[in-house]
Amino acid sequence: MESIVGPYRDREIARKLVEKIREEAKLIDEIRIMHVCGTHEDTITRSGIRSLLPENVKVVSGPGCPVCITPVEDIVKMMEIVRNAREEGEEIILTTFGDMYKIPTPGGSFADLRGEGYDVRIVYSIFDSYKIARENPDKTVVHFSPGFETTTAPAAGMLNVVAQEGIENFKIYSVHRLTPQGIEVLVKQKSRIDALIDAGHVSTIIGVKGWEFLSERYGIPQVIAGFEPNDVLMAILLLVRMYREGDSRVVNEYRRAVKYEGNVVAQKLIDNFFEVVDAKWRALGVFPGTGLEVRKEWKELEIRTHYNPKVPRLPDLEKGCLCGAVLRGLAMPTDCPHFGKTCTPRHPVGPCMVSYEGTCQIFYKYGALF
Amino acid sequence: MCLATIARVLEVNREKGTAWVDFGGVRREARIDLLPDVRVGEYVLIHTGFIIERVDEETAKEILSAWDEVFRLEKEAVGGYYYPGD
C-alpha cells in the first residue's frame, strides 16, 4: 500500500512541481482555481500548499461539504418527525454521520434531540443503520442521509438490499446533492471559476464523463485529482498550463481510482432509487436540478412519505457568519469576525466549523496562518 | 464526507454481499454492492463501509513514472498520459 501512496507525498517531487507552477504562472495574469471537496481542502491546508503558490495562483474552496449545505429546514423537519412519531406511539431510531449530528440550526441539532431523550445514533456507514434495523424489528430506523455522489451510491446500494429483503422498518431521509450540477449553478450565478479541481471520489462514481459538460458549456479546464499533496500540486500545474493555452478539457490525474465511465453499477443503483429535483443548499439558495429524492416507486423507503410535518422557513446562519461566502469561494475563514473567537470546533457558530470537511474547521485545526 | 480509504480484500462473501478488508492492520466488514465482482487480494477504496472501486496499482505506478516524464520532456510526455480516452 505504501508503494502506491508514498511517492505522492515525496518532498522532492513536490518541490519540482512547485517550481513548474511558478514558471508557468509567470505567463498568466491570474487564475482562480476552485476545488469542491473537503478532503482536498484538508490536503491543501495540512500541506500548506497555498503558501507555496505564487500570488497569482489562487486556490479557493467551493461547496464541497455536504453537511454544511444541508438545509436547516430538513434537519428541523427530521427532528419533528422523530417527535411526532413518538406522539403517535412509534419509536424512531435516528441514525446519521458524526459531523451531521452536531450541525447547529435555530431549532437545535440532532445532538440536542438526543438530549431530549430520543434515540439518536452516530453511524460510520448506512450499513450500520441497516444492521440496527434488523436488530430492532419493533422500531423504525431512519437514516438521515446527506452526501454527494460518493455517499449516495452506498445509500442506493443499501436501499436495494432493503427492497429485496422486504425490510419494512428501515427508511431514509434523503438530502443527497449532485456535485457538478451544483457547480454549474455557481457558474451561472457568475461566480468566477477559471479552473476546477474535481473531487476524486465523486469522480470514482460519476467518472470523467460526469464532469465533461462543464468544460463543453463553460470552457472550464478541469483536473480530477487524488488526495495526496503531489496529486493536488500536479492538478494545479496542469490547470495553470491548460488555462494559459485555452485548453478546456477534463484531465484525469487520479487514474488509479477513476475510470472514464465511472462506477457503472453504482450509477445504475442511484438512478434506480433516486430522481433529480430542485434543492436548497444551505446559505446558497435553491439550486435547480441538484437534489436527489427517493423515486415515487420506492416512496415507502422515504420517511417523509409517512410523516411530513410543516416546518417554517428558518434563517440559515447566525448573524455575521460567513459560511455562505466561504462555500462560494468568495471569503476565506479568516475573513469572518466569528472565526477562532466566538466560533471554534467546540462551540461552532456555523456549519463550516462543525464538519471535519468544513473549510473553517480545517483552517482552525491546522492553524492556517499563511 | 467523500473520504475514502485504501484497503486490501481478505475474504469475499457474495451471498451476504460483504467482504472482510484490511486497512493496514485494522479489519472491517465492507459491503460489495457497488463492486460485486471484487476479488480477494485486490486493493480497493472504501467509503462509508462500501467498496466503491478497485485501486489499480499498475496505473498508480505508471502515473508516477509519467510524472518523471513530465519533468524531463515537458508537454509531449504529459499529453501522452493524462488525457482521458487515450
Side-chain angles (χ1 to χ4, degrees):
Chain A
M1 223 174 296
E2 210 33 48
S3 70
I4 298 181
V5 166
Y8 291 94
R9 295 177 184 167
D10 183 89
R11 185 181 289 259
E12 191 49 32
I13 293 176
R15 200 186 56 75
K16 285 185 190 168
L17 285 167
V18 170
E19 218 171 85
K20 290 271 170 222
I21 292 169
R22 289 181 173 276
E23 280 170 27
E24 205 62 52
K26 285 183 190 147
L27 307 170
I28 58 163
D29 285 346
E30 190 188 74
I31 183 171
R32 236 172 97 86
I33 300 171
M34 181 178 271
H35 74 76
V36 281
C37 178
T39 315
H40 275 145
E41 183 56 45
D42 193 275
T43 303
I44 289 164
T45 304
R46 181 162 39 91
S47 339
I49 284 177
R50 285 194 185 90
S51 71
L52 301 172
L53 299 176
E55 261 183 33
N56 62 341
V57 177
K58 304 235 187 301
V59 179
V60 299
S61 169
C65 168
V67 311
C68 301
I69 57 97
T70 297
V72 283
E73 289 84 0
D74 285 307
I75 300 170
V76 170
K77 183 178 278 201
M78 183 66 244
M79 294 198 276
E80 274 304 294
I81 289 172
V82 174
R83 294 186 190 107
N84 290 359
R86 180 174 284 180
E87 281 166 21
E88 294 189 17
E90 184 180 3
E91 279 302 311
I92 285 179
I93 300 174
L94 171 61
T95 66
T96 197
F97 301 118
D99 47 357
M100 192 72 242
Y101 179 72
K102 293 178 287 182
I103 293 285
T105 78
S109 65
F110 290 146
D112 296 325
L113 185 72
R114 183 176 167 145
E116 288 175 34
Y118 293 96
D119 195 344
V120 185
R121 303 187 195 181
I122 293 172
V123 290
Y124 153 77
S125 167
I126 193 170
F127 182 35
D128 297 334
S129 313
Y130 160 87
K131 286 191 259 185
I132 295 170
R134 294 293 299 259
E135 289 158 9
N136 294 274
D138 54 327
K139 291 181 179 164
T140 302
V141 172
V142 180
H143 182 66
F144 189 81
S145 201
F148 295 130
E149 292 83 344
T150 327
T151 320
T152 314
M158 209 68 255
L159 289 182
N160 191 41
V161 173
V162 168
Q164 277 175 9
E165 294 180 352
I167 295 170
E168 288 179 0
N169 68 325
F170 180 87
K171 317 281 175 204
I172 69 164
Y173 188 125
S174 169
V175 279
H176 289 292
R177 296 288 182 267
L178 298 168
T179 317
Q181 286 73 10
I183 294 165
E184 183 179 28
V185 176
L186 288 184
V187 174
K188 281 185 179 166
Q189 292 176 348
K190 308 281 179 228
S191 285
R192 187 180 148 203
I193 304 170
D194 298 324
L196 270 172
I197 300 175
D198 294 335
H201 297 137
V202 166
S203 309
T204 300
I205 304 297
I206 68 173
V208 176
K209 73 176 167 84
W211 298 96
E212 282 179 333
F213 73 98
L214 287 172
S215 288
E216 284 160 13
R217 286 182 206 164
Y218 307 100
I220 299 173
Q222 306 176 67
V223 173
I224 295 169
F227 297 97
E228 299 301 330
N230 289 343
D231 285 317
V232 175
L233 285 171
M234 188 66 181
I236 294 169
L237 171 61
L238 294 174
L239 287 171
V240 174
R241 183 173 292 167
M242 289 164 80
Y243 178 69
R244 177 171 67 75
E245 293 176 349
D247 176 3
S248 61
R249 277 189 263 189
V250 187
V251 167
N252 184 8
E253 185 275 338
Y254 197 32
R255 273 212 198 167
R256 60 195 190 273
V258 177
K259 295 186 199 141
Y260 177 77
E261 69 281 7
N263 183 331
V264 178
V265 174
Q267 290 164 18
K268 282 188 181 151
L269 280 165
I270 293 173
D271 186 51
N272 187 40
F273 285 96
F274 293 98
E275 61 187 318
V276 177
V277 293
D278 297 347
K280 186 180 159 181
W281 295 48
R282 182 175 187 171
L284 301 177
V286 174
F287 283 14
T290 61
L292 287 177
E293 224 170 62
V294 177
R295 279 191 188 281
K296 300 222 170 23
E297 46 269 49
W298 301 107
K299 65 179 199 279
E300 281 302 307
L301 300 171
E302 161 67 54
I303 189 64
R304 277 168 290 182
T305 306
H306 308 274
Y307 297 94
N308 201 1
K310 281 215 160 26
V311 169
R313 174 121 172 59
L314 296 160
D316 284 335
L317 302 170
E318 293 277 332
K319 206 167 171 236
C321 171
L322 287 188
C323 194
V326 169
L327 289 166
R328 284 181 191 276
L330 299 175
M332 286 292 181
T334 41
D335 297 330
C336 180
H338 289 295
F339 180 79
K341 298 184 183 87
T342 41
C343 184
T344 65
R346 186 169 282 195
H347 299 288
V349 170
C352 297
M353 185 59 95
V354 179
S355 172
Y356 61 83
E357 285 205 317
T359 305
C360 295
Q361 201 206 73
I362 294 165
F363 268 59
Y364 189 88
K365 183 162 61 184
Y366 297 118
L369 304 168
F370 312 120
Chain B
M1 188 67 69
C2 296
L3 189 72
T5 318
I6 296 177
R8 194 163 165 269
V9 179
L10 300 172
E11 204 182 301
V12 180
N13 184 339
R14 288 187 209 285
E15 209 166 292
K16 215 177 145 201
T18 59
W20 278 96
V21 297
D22 175 15
F23 296 93
V26 179
R27 291 175 175 207
R28 267 199 82 117
E29 200 179 19
R31 298 281 322 174
I32 63 166
D33 310 69
L34 309 177
L35 196 73
D37 61 347
V38 67
R39 288 184 299 273
V40 170
E42 286 184 312
Y43 285 102
V44 291
L45 273 173
I46 315 268
H47 169 73
T48 64
F50 281 66
I51 297 174
I52 58 168
E53 191 54 277
R54 52 176 57 86
V55 181
D56 185 346
E57 197 170 356
E58 284 312 305
T59 311
K61 284 176 189 159
E62 270 170 35
I63 287 179
L64 288 169
S65 62
W67 281 9
D68 288 340
E69 292 291 291
V70 173
F71 301 130
R72 255 185 289 132
L73 300 168
E74 289 286 339
K75 217 183 135 209
E76 294 81 2
V78 180
Y81 91 90
Y82 74 76
Y83 289 115
D86 60 12

